[in-house]
Amino acid sequence: MNKKKALVGVFLSTGLLFGCSQKEETAEKPKEKEAAPVSSELEGVSTEYREYAIGEIEQFVQATDAFTQAVIAGNLEQAKELYAPSRMHYERAEPIAEVFGDLDPKIDAREGDVPEAEWTGYHRIEKGLWIDNTTAGYEQYAEQLMKDVQLLRAKVETVDVTPELLVTGAVDLLNEVSTSKVTGEEDRYSHTDLYDFAANVQGAEKIYQLLEPALKEKDSALASDIEKRFADVYSLLDQHKQGDAYKLYTELTESEVKDLSLAIDALAEPLSQIGIVTEAS
Amino acid sequence: MAETQKDSSLFVKKVSRRNMLKTAGAGGIGVLVGASGLGGILSITKASETEQVDNTVPFYGKHQAGITTEVQNHLYFASLNVTTENKQDLVQLFKDWTAAAEKMTKGEPLAESASNAYIPPKDTGEATGLSASNLTITFGVGPTLFVKDGKDRFGLQAKQPAELQGLPKFPLDALEDAWSGGDICIQACADDLQVAFHAVRNLVRIARGKAVIHWAQTGFQRSKQADAKKETPRNLFGFKDGTINPDVKKDSDMNQQVWVQQGDGPDWLAGGSYMVVRRIQMYIEVWDRTTLSEQEKTFGRHRDSGAPLGMKQELDTADYKAKDSNGQPIIPKDSHMALSHGDGTQSILRRAYSYESGMDPQTGSFDAGLLFICFQRRPSKQFIPIQNRLAQSDKLNEYIIHRGSALFACLPGTKQGSYIGETLLS
């Protein structure tokens, strides 16, 4: 989950921390930001992205259903197996999923992000599965998680995907990678961070692919640079993949972690220019 | 935003300098100034007539700035490794760096504020409104830019100077890869650390996808404000450091000792200079429990005056032959000064900064010392023989350890319309 959003949940407003009024959003309401002045072409892209994100959330519901059932049934090994792949759907659609400042922490908060008594969701169960090595006592969290995910599915229909959400969402996904996945803090008990890493990159790539035709018209050199950087990141990730499974974070060497981190920086810098698609041509 | 910025900088100029007196005389601010007393006004008058308002060092020139430039208060040094394999990327990088460095050394942002709020600002912003602070940005290339792991990376192998090889291993070296080497270096010096950091940060940002930081280090000296008499700066052992340094104002000396000349090697480097960087950790806790007499014998100088042992004034000529009543040399042969001097035939232009990087987590001691930087025309005839002597028998070796090392060829200067590195890359 997004650290910043967790703070929003706790302190109500990042404005309190940074004196920045732009981000004043309450935990209860979805983000409402002014849309950029855009062409109808970009409106079409927004619609397409909305469908993609809802599709991912739909699959997230199904995957979470299987995961939580395994927990409730006391099937420890199966629950462990389903944990990381289920989360990938959420991580791909994070720009949309985290719009709901109240649900995101319930589903995805890490230990310490919220007061202990309020800590629920995937990472709470993760700690049970890997640290306590049991499902016993975690059934209630599984039931609550399923309810929260279903609520997310219902609410996500109401999201208005603005071009700005797309433009910032692509880089935000990579920023998530830089600040929590590449440091091994996201899945600190299961060490399955690379699944979340890959899913964030895939989510960013989806946005990029949707904006690519518009970007090529404005700056084709930038577009090909971004494509090359995506390929670099995937080729590094592939080195840590066996079949469908990614290596554990703890199996990576220090220099492999650094290479992954630098590859994300090299991708995110040109990708941050994608906002030029909002300019009138 | 751009307008406000311009307006406010005009405002600052008007008020802070000579014009302030005019305004004050006219009445408005007179009350405020008056409150601080007549002396205050007089001292402002004096400063505004003698002080150079312009604190910019030109980026373009025959040589790069930051070598013979008067030493600024702060340093941010970065060693980078090139990640691109494409020579054209490298050329573009140096072109982009040249344009950016030229702007930043004038105290200008990389771009006026952006018209599109949906892309990040081009300039990172922390130097907005700050003066150029005598910022200099100096670029160098290391041996590994030419050949790395036996590979001629950019077709530059034929251009690699014989002098640009990895430095030899000196006795007692405890070099760590994390503080050594690099394909390219950027030395940013300024009288303000934020200005220096801003420069390197933006240059590294421009390099994303083409080069990454390998290691970096901040450095400091006493500031000019703190030392109105401009005495020789002291190092963290409390001793004056840099008393004997070639005179940067003498072109003939600089041509003899610092600037690479036509015919010295490949001519693309003529007008450039070799830069040695050594990250030397100083065991300051150990030093602090060493007696004054031992400290002075270690350096060969008196601590307070900086005078050579047996002399009164800092600039007195050292007498290496003088003996004490026991027949021992007054300046020990293994003192830092005696060994650095050798037979007096080798000379380097030192431009070192102290560094401190908080605590060494392993020992709980300070991680502090010297980021030794020197410039010279031929390392093989200058730094290398000097360091060989020091590494073998310098008394100072009990208190220091060399953790990092790098050699770079600082490129010749460039002019408007060209770019740094053009003579090498074109």
Side-chain angles (χ1 to χ4, degrees), chain B residues 189-253:
Chain B
C189 299
D191 289 331
D192 183 279
L193 184 53
Q194 187 150 319
V195 167
F197 179 71
H198 169 264
V200 174
R201 174 186 176 185
N202 280 273
L203 296 172
V204 168
R205 183 185 181 196
I206 288 169
R208 279 225 233 284
K210 302 189 178 94
V212 298
I213 302 191
H214 174 41
W215 59 278
Q217 180 65 59
T218 54
F220 61 94
Q221 287 196 349
R222 89 284 183 268
S223 68
K224 288 166 200 159
Q225 302 92 294
D227 186 10
K229 291 189 213 154
K230 291 200 175 175
E231 296 193 342
T232 308
R234 291 179 186 273
N235 61 28
L236 297 183
F237 284 158
F239 278 72
K240 292 191 175 182
D241 201 344
T243 302
I244 307 294
N245 223 10
D247 185 354
V248 294
K249 296 200 175 68
K250 281 195 190 154
D251 284 350
S252 56
D253 286 8

Side-chain angles (χ1 to χ4, degrees), chain A residues 64-75 78 142:
Chain A
T64 303
D65 189 36
F67 171 67
T68 53
Q69 282 190 28
V71 173
I72 292 164
N75 198 335
Q78 197 194 2

Side-chain angles (χ1 to χ4, degrees), chain B residues 385-405:
Chain B
I386 294 173
Q387 181 55 25
N388 259 325
R389 286 198 301 273
L390 290 173
Q392 274 162 24
S393 42
D394 189 358
K395 267 174 92 68
L396 196 56
N397 291 339
E398 287 178 44
Y399 308 98
I400 62 171
I401 186 158
H402 288 239
R403 297 274 188 210
S405 175

